[in-house]
Amino acid sequence: MPLSAFTAAAPAVLGLMIAVWLWSVVRRDASVVDATWGLAFLLATAVAAATAPGATPRRLLVLGLVTLWSLRLSLYIAWRNHGKGEDYRYAAMRRGHGERFWWVSLFTVFLLQGVLALVIALPLLVAVTSPEPAGFGLRDLAGLALWIAGFAFEAVGDGQLARFKADPGNRGHVMDRGLWRYTRHPNYFGEALLWWGYWLLAAGTPAGLATIVSPLLMTFLLLRVSGVALLEKGLASTKPGYAEYVARTSAFVPRRPRPPEGGG
């Protein structure tokens, strides 16, 4: 990856995050950053691609995949959060920091996410700027297959959960249908799978293998930081039956539910 691609993408992404931060200060709602996450990757990839000449098949494929994924994710999060006020995570931070939150949030929420996005986007930047190899190989096909499976898990899982929550009769109940029967977090599993797919699409290019830090970091964040671990902290105490759901259902990788204790 030419250094010029990263030096072009970095100010674009950080500039986007600063602009969204200013909007959050006006609205007094830091949740707007969530819908920006996917757009940061699209911006980084598009800017990097613009620094490379021509339109190679790999560049067009990766640009198309990133566009589809980022727009779906950002639009879904914006729709999901609309009219619901500030997310509890940011509301708790606001209470903790008081009047200083507007300034603290710039570094601990917006710029931090911008930097993380730039690191995670490395395989995308490599894939859209490398002219070699010219064609696709088995590794690329495997990457595309992983991406399709991951996108399907994420999109279908989000859709199933949204329909479940839209039914007033499900209030207070645990979503354990569809993909959620086999994993407690099909959307997060799909997200991780998708990023391993991006990495495989970059791995056949010079320096592409070294970008493995991207799917490793994304998988770690989803499992231990902002995904599974964070979401499940309060669910056991707020949703009756969640402990039983945990006992029978995989946290991440899909598998058949465990039989009830003593059920054989």
Side-chain angles (χ1 to χ4, degrees):
M1 176 185 67
L3 183 60
S4 59
F6 188 83
T7 55
V13 169
L14 296 179
L16 171 66
M17 302 311 287
I18 291 173
V20 177
W21 167 71
L22 290 171
W23 177 233
S24 80
V25 172
V26 172
R27 292 192 57 184
R28 291 188 61 83
D29 184 357
S31 301
V32 294
V33 73
D34 294 339
T36 310
W37 175 249
L39 297 179
F41 292 99
L42 177 56
L43 179 62
T45 307
V47 169
T51 68
T56 65
R58 186 182 309 277
R59 184 171 305 144
L60 294 175
L61 173 63
V62 172
L63 268 173
L65 296 180
V66 173
T67 300
L68 180 60
W69 165 75
S70 66
L71 291 180
R72 188 214 73 85
L73 182 64
S74 293
L75 289 172
Y76 170 73
I77 292 175
W79 168 80
R80 183 193 67 187
N81 291 352
H82 180 68
K84 294 186 177 177
E86 190 167 51
D87 185 275
Y88 73 93
R89 298 166 296 166
Y90 307 122
M93 290 177 65
R94 187 181 296 278
R95 289 193 298 270
H97 291 288
E99 292 302 316
R100 295 185 304 117
F101 177 72
W102 70 276
W103 181 246
V104 172
S105 67
L106 172 62
F107 298 96
T108 62
V109 177
F110 291 85
L111 290 182
L112 175 60
Q113 289 199 28
V115 171
L116 285 173
L118 285 167
V119 174
I120 294 169
L122 286 176
L124 307 178
L125 306 189
V126 167
V128 298
T129 55
S130 178
E132 299 175 359
F136 297 115
L138 289 177
R139 183 157 37 190
D140 301 300
L141 294 177
L144 181 58
L146 275 183
W147 188 93
I148 292 172
F151 184 82
F153 259 91
E154 186 175 44
V156 172
D158 281 342
Q160 289 175 341
L161 183 61
R163 287 192 295 274
F164 179 84
K165 287 184 172 181
D167 184 348
N170 292 325
R171 191 178 302 277
H173 293 283
V174 175
M175 169 54 164
D176 59 357
R177 309 168 191 172
L179 295 178
W180 301 80
R181 181 171 182 264
Y182 303 98
T183 165
R184 304 200 298 273
H185 302 282
N187 47 353
Y188 293 152
F189 171 74
E191 180 82 355
L193 208 61
L194 182 147
W195 279 97
W196 283 101
Y198 281 137
W199 175 71
L200 281 176
L201 286 168
T205 67
L209 284 172
T211 65
I212 195 171
V213 64
S214 165
L216 286 173
L217 177 57
M218 178 59 86
T219 304
F220 173 76
L221 290 174
L222 289 168
L223 279 171
R224 302 297 181 189
V225 182
S226 61
V228 174
L230 180 64
L231 188 61
E232 294 206 335
K233 270 185 178 179
L235 285 176
S237 58
T238 58
K239 284 191 177 291
Y242 196 78
E244 182 186 345
Y245 176 57
V246 168
R248 69 175 185 269
T249 311
S250 170
F252 199 65
V253 179
R255 61 162 179 74
R256 292 182 62 185
R258 298 183 189 93
E261 242 181 81

